[in-house]
Amino acid sequence: MHLVKLGGSVITDKAKVTTLRRTNLVRLAGEIAASGQEVIVVHGAGSFGHIKARKHRLQEGYVDDAQLPAVSEVQRDVRTLNLAVVDALRRAGLRAISLPPSAIARLDDGALRSLDIDVFRRYRDLGFTPVTFGDVVLDARRWFAICSGDLLMLALAEAFRPEAAIFVADVDGVFTADPKRAKGAKLLPTVGPGTIGAIDTAAETDDVTGGLAGKLERMIAIAGFTERCQLVNGLKKGRLLAALRGQRVVGTRVTP
Amino acid sequence: MHLVKLGGSVITDKAKVTTLRRTNLVRLAGEIAASGQEVIVVHGAGSFGHIKARKHRLQEGYVDDAQLPAVSEVQRDVRTLNLAVVDALRRAGLRAISLPPSAIARLDDGALRSLDIDVFRRYRDLGFTPVTFGDVVLDARRWFAICSGDLLMLALAEAFRPEAAIFVADVDGVFTADPKRAKGAKLLPTVGPGTIGAIDTAAETDDVTGGLAGKLERMIAIAGFTERCQLVNGLKKGRLLAALRGQRVVGTRVTP
């Protein structure tokens, strides 16, 4: 079984609220289906979640009542994105089943306290393709909090010990510095706990789920539960498919 | 707290697949919001669920693999309807939160074995309006089965002991015979275990969730968990609002 995380920036327009990058989404759904692999799909919220979440400081948990309509609104927006992902997977021939974290996950002070793993397992055993996503979720201490797609990847990797955990991003891999800003930035074919210090993560614009440094930490943790944890560029045709087939592909492997 | 069931035939066009009756939906959402009551909303699947479910015999559970894409498709369709209901409630000023049975409920041979009541309670305690709906759900013996909105009403009534459980239908109440076919059909102001025998339910066209006889049985069971279990006509302006306010209104009261 493979875990695939479709990064929010690959399937949504980062800057425009609730705007899809539909061509990418449809192509990536096709690559997942073409691989013939059994897959659980996790997708980010992208501009369907981050923009309003940041505006209403949902990542801080409950601050005041004015946030409550925004919780309902952001959940609704990410469900719309999720329906588009489910539709793309269904059209590619997969039997996609949506499992929303706002209904099946609970956080405690921002950490994942519970996730109904059994529901993923049972749908998968029946030949369905479970799909989950970054969402606003109940939190025991903060009332609500953001449950990122990466947090879900970690919990699912721990539970399913997948053959591979593949992160689909809008860059070729992890670089020594931000490749969109620094000219001399070099792609790192592998990253692990020993090499993470060499990466300049300061330039990364932080999002509501923690930015590159937090992402790498989580990927290193995930690498402990799978033979292959890697990051590939979802804007380049065929890279996700090659990774799902276990072929050599441009990207970064993350080691535990 | 009030439980409100929006019947599928009131908010969707019974005969046309995945077609909303948007004017009704928007008005009913407005009546719920105007009542000022704390409400949990359950809605039927209507033409977003029943037509394809019947075509693929999903109410029988697993028969053959050809049903599996239909399970994914019907779940997707009812999520679309659910998003429309959530949107209508949100526009009316409520903080609607969608809780899909396909993710949080499990059946066993068609009977509800588990439903995550805690997630309803916690969202409600934070001032949100939980919304759930008729759905295709995992079933321990049949692999999948249909979980009707009425089954959810029963489980929620048992858990929350609401002030009232209000069923919003496309008729004025329960009649001695089908009012759409029999001329002499009379509205029954109350129905209970003693009077149910006097009702001619034979003419009712059965749907995938059991028709009028099954519905009345479930309403009688629900009446055991609330002071007031009633059925009102959602096509008539103001009836749901009056019922939510506890005012006298045309309809049928169901007694345990």
Side-chain angles (χ1 to χ4, degrees), chain A residues 26-43:
Chain A
V26 168
R27 179 176 46 74
L28 292 167
E31 294 187 22
I32 292 170
S35 75
Q37 297 289 355
E38 194 177 69
V39 169
I40 293 179
V41 176
V42 178
H43 64 80

Side-chain angles (χ1 to χ4, degrees), chain B residues 14 18 44 87 109 112 146 151 158 169 178-180 183 197 228 244 254:
Chain B
K14 232 174 178 168
T18 63
D87 280 349
D109 210 15
L112 196 59
I146 287 170
L151 213 55
E158 189 175 1
D178 185 346
K180 291 167 194 162
K183 265 199 168 176
R228 177 160 50 97
L244 281 164
V254 179

Side-chain angles (χ1 to χ4, degrees), chain A residues 76 79 87 98 102 118, chain B residues 76 79 87 98 102 106 123:
Chain A
R76 179 241 173 255
R79 287 285 177 97
D87 280 349
S98 159
S102 51
D118 178 64
Chain B
R76 180 241 173 254
R79 287 286 177 97
D87 280 349
S98 160
S102 52
R106 301 284 207 292
Y123 278 115

Side-chain angles (χ1 to χ4, degrees), chain B residues 79-140:
Chain B
R79 287 286 177 97
T80 312
L81 169 60
N82 176 246
L83 263 186
V85 175
V86 162
D87 280 349
L89 292 167
R90 285 187 33 73
R91 278 186 205 125
L94 296 169
R95 297 150 186 179
I97 299 285
S98 160
L99 297 173
S102 52
I104 60 164
R106 301 284 207 292
L107 300 187
D108 189 356
D109 210 15
L112 196 59
R113 195 179 60 179
S114 73
L115 176 68
D116 185 355
I117 292 295
D118 178 65
V119 73
F120 286 89
R121 186 170 284 125
R122 292 187 57 193
Y123 278 115
R124 187 208 54 175
D125 288 350
L126 294 173
F128 293 104
T129 301
V131 183
T132 190
F133 48 95
D135 203 353
V136 188
V137 166
L138 287 168
D139 185 291

Side-chain angles (χ1 to χ4, degrees), chain A residues 40-123:
Chain A
I40 293 179
V41 176
V42 178
H43 64 80
S47 64
F48 286 67
H50 293 203
I51 297 171
K52 289 179 190 169
R54 187 162 40 233
K55 183 180 162 194
H56 297 282
R57 299 163 61 192
L58 301 188
Q59 74 278 19
E60 298 174 29
Y62 179 82
V63 177
D64 59 50
D65 278 1
Q67 294 172 298
L68 299 179
V71 169
S72 161
E73 187 178 358
V74 171
Q75 282 188 358
R76 179 241 173 255
D77 287 350
V78 294
R79 287 285 177 97
T80 311
L81 169 61
N82 175 247
L83 263 186
V85 175
V86 162
D87 280 349
L89 292 167
R90 284 186 35 74
R91 279 188 203 122
L94 295 169
R95 298 150 184 178
I97 299 285
S98 159
L99 297 172
S102 51
I104 60 164
R106 302 282 206 294
L107 301 187
D108 189 356
D109 210 15
L112 196 59
R113 195 178 61 177
S114 73
L115 176 69
D116 185 355
I117 293 294
D118 178 64
V119 74
F120 286 88
R121 185 170 285 126
R122 292 189 56 194
Y123 278 114

